[in-house]
Amino acid sequence: MSTSFEVADSAELSQIYSNRTSRLRIAIVNDAIPGRNGVGTYYADLVQHLKSQVEDMQIVGPGADRDPSLERFSIAMPGDATQRMSWPIKRKLCGLLDRMHPNVIVIPSLGAFSYYALKYARQNDVPVAVVNHTNFEELVSLYVPVPFRNAASWSLARIGRWLMRQATSVAAMDAEALESARQAGIEHVRVMGTPLPHEFLCTPTKPLPDSIRRVVFVGRLAKEKCVSKFLDAARDLPDIQFTVIGDGPLQAIIQDASQRLLNVRFIGWVSRERVMLEIDNAEILVLPSVIETFGTVALEALARRRYVLTTENCGISKWPSISTGLFTIGSEESVAQSISRISQMHVFDRNKHAERSWNEVRKFNQHTIRVWTSFLADVASSNPKFGKVKKEAEAVL
């Protein structure tokens, strides 16, 4: 009798929460160019997973090419001309949001689109979720000359804190971002994982050979990614094929290396489908970044059951559930030495180690989607018009 009652309660509660998510209309207003960096790809993957669970979910922001119907003007990003900072036509942006009528606005970046989206949210009583993706203070240390570094770092930190304080709730990508939000006095903070595109999870994987013959780097060709260390490894290991995928300010250096070194192949920026193909054709994905909030491509390589070699600075290495099967570049090691160390392991031991991460990827993805769904429903519930369903759920509990 009690079992039936508990099952009924559970079913009722499940239905209530299903009703909460099915009514969500989420506008993700993103200043990042789609597909050009981690923030640009993150939300395309998230929408892919959540769109069937919500009423509406759209990404609003600048495109890969300037859209004159939405963007007033744009300029190249300082330090990386392959990315743009864009200024929206306010009337057009507000018109898009009016037609969508969102009950949550997600802001994952700093920029003009984000600013006007925040103003729109205030004027229309729409709850806002701010996502802390990037440690701008660390990037300042790489890109800003020393005389201006402290001022730039202070300014960006202050803008970031101000933006978080405007939010209904804040999402953080790692423990450091969580601590940063708490130091800014933010009470409602949730730590998020990173979603994966369906094709990386569902396409059958290729078996790994017993020997290491090919390694790959995928990412923005920028200073913080330390792609020069990848090229040094190619010089030191001439019998291994090194492939570089990406675009960015260091592209000329990569192109030069591909002409000088017979074992270096540079294929530039390509589609996600091609990225998956190149990961499948390699044995090791190398991510030697000095700054890496998470490292989505590392998660993608784990989903394809490839070995992943990262630095301790990569955010993925700080997630216990999926980090135990990663290979780490030692503090006194070069990338070449790390690759050689992995190559010299017995294939059984190498696979046994990597399987600890390979076997957790699907669970990690499912957990990420559950947390995001709950987070967005909670943010929407802060609006009295939407919060009635939350009270019904609490009554059942």
Side-chain angles (χ1 to χ4, degrees):
M1 191 75 172
S2 62
T3 302
S4 300
F5 179 75
E6 289 169 8
V7 170
D9 270 359
S10 177
E12 183 181 356
L13 185 59
S14 176
Q15 182 61 48
I16 287 170
Y17 278 111
S18 175
N19 290 342
R20 287 179 72 198
T21 58
S22 65
R23 296 168 57 218
L24 286 172
R25 296 184 304 279
I26 304 154
I28 301 167
V29 184
N30 194 358
D31 284 273
I33 303 298
R36 286 289 173 172
N37 57 30
V39 179
T41 58
Y42 186 101
Y43 291 93
D45 295 340
L46 185 65
V47 169
Q48 188 183 55
H49 286 285
L50 290 185
K51 63 184 178 182
S52 63
Q53 301 180 38
V54 300
E55 184 176 324
D56 194 12
M57 189 173 193
Q58 298 180 34
I59 300 172
V60 180
D65 299 311
R66 179 175 170 268
D67 178 1
S69 69
L70 180 61
E71 302 174 55
R72 191 173 299 279
F73 66 88
S74 65
I75 59 173
M77 187 80 74
D80 186 357
T82 65
Q83 300 193 77
R84 298 183 297 114
M85 294 190 300
S86 185
W87 195 274
I89 300 172
K90 183 182 175 183
R91 173 175 52 84
K92 295 287 188 178
L93 175 61
C94 292
L96 283 173
L97 295 174
D98 280 341
R99 288 192 292 275
M100 188 179 175
H101 193 52
N103 43 42
V104 177
I105 291 178
V106 178
I107 297 178
S109 54
L110 297 174
F113 274 83
S114 306
Y115 174 73
Y116 284 117
L118 182 61
K119 287 190 69 174
Y120 178 93
R122 283 178 168 176
Q123 292 166 359
N124 294 276
D125 295 321
V126 182
V128 173
V130 167
V131 190
N132 189 353
H133 276 276
T134 306
N135 189 325
F136 289 102
E137 294 175 72
E138 288 185 347
L139 290 177
V140 162
S141 68
L142 289 177
Y143 287 102
V144 178
V146 173
F148 310 103
R149 193 169 291 169
N150 288 341
S153 180
W154 179 85
S155 298
L156 284 171
R158 185 165 183 174
I159 292 170
R161 287 195 296 269
W162 174 83
L163 182 60
M164 287 190 288
R165 286 170 182 153
Q166 312 312 305
T168 307
S169 293
V170 171
M173 289 295 106
D174 55 33
E176 291 179 4
L178 172 66
E179 184 59 28
S180 174
R182 286 177 172 167
Q183 287 177 358
I186 309 302
E187 295 182 3
H188 302 289
V189 189
R190 196 85 59 90
V191 177
M192 300 297 180
T194 295
L196 276 169
H198 285 302
E199 57 268 28
F200 279 81
L201 290 166
C202 301
T203 306
T205 58
K206 292 174 61 175
L208 277 166
D210 290 347
S211 59
I212 304 298
R213 297 172 296 179
R214 294 159 299 191
V215 299
V216 62
F217 168 91
V218 182
R220 206 164 60 86
L221 306 180
K223 194 180 296 184
E224 67 272 15
K225 304 296 183 178
C226 298
V227 70
S228 60
K229 295 182 179 180
F230 187 80
L231 298 178
D232 290 342
R235 181 198 62 211
D236 296 341
L237 301 171
D239 294 332
I240 293 178
Q241 178 73 42
F242 287 73
T243 299
V244 178
I245 301 171
D247 195 2
L250 301 183
Q251 178 175 323
I253 295 173
I254 313 302
Q255 287 175 325
D256 178 66
S258 68
Q259 293 171 359
R260 289 185 295 102
L261 300 170
L262 295 177
N263 63 329
V264 173
R265 183 172 64 119
F266 175 53
I267 61 174
W269 184 87
V270 295
S271 67
R272 295 291 284 285
E273 292 78 13
R274 177 69 183 278
V275 168
M276 186 173 73
L277 176 64
E278 294 295 337
I279 289 174
D280 284 357
N281 287 336
E283 288 80 55
I284 304 179
L285 174 106
V286 180
L287 204 57
S289 310
V290 67
I291 300 172
E292 192 73 60
T293 304
F294 183 80
T296 302
V297 70
L299 191 64
E300 292 172 348
L302 292 177
R304 305 309 300 160
R305 298 183 74 83
R306 263 46 199 167
Y307 308 123
V308 174
L309 176 63
T310 72
T311 63
E312 292 181 350
N313 298 313
C314 291
I316 191 172
S317 67
K318 298 175 175 64
W319 284 84
S321 62
I322 51 170
S323 65
T324 54
L326 299 176
F327 295 90
T328 304
I329 301 168
S331 58
E332 303 298 324
E333 270 188 327
S334 67
V335 172
Q337 289 170 332
S338 299
I339 292 172
S340 296
R341 170 168 52 84
I342 297 169
S343 299
Q344 290 162 13
M345 293 176 68
H346 190 282
V347 64
F348 175 83
D349 295 328
R350 196 162 60 218
N351 288 345
K352 184 178 180 181
H353 176 84
E355 278 178 348
R356 293 185 290 184
S357 288
W358 293 342
N359 295 338
E360 294 298 319
V361 170
R362 196 170 296 274
K363 294 178 188 176
F364 182 80
N365 187 71
Q366 291 169 347
H367 170 77
T368 296
I369 300 309
R370 283 197 302 269
V371 173
W372 261 110
T373 303
S374 172
F375 174 74
L376 291 169
D378 287 345
V379 174
S381 295
S382 67
N383 187 326
K385 297 177 183 178
F386 194 83
K388 180 175 178 290
V389 178
K390 182 179 180 181
K391 292 180 180 177
E392 292 173 358
E394 289 168 347
V396 173
L397 284 172

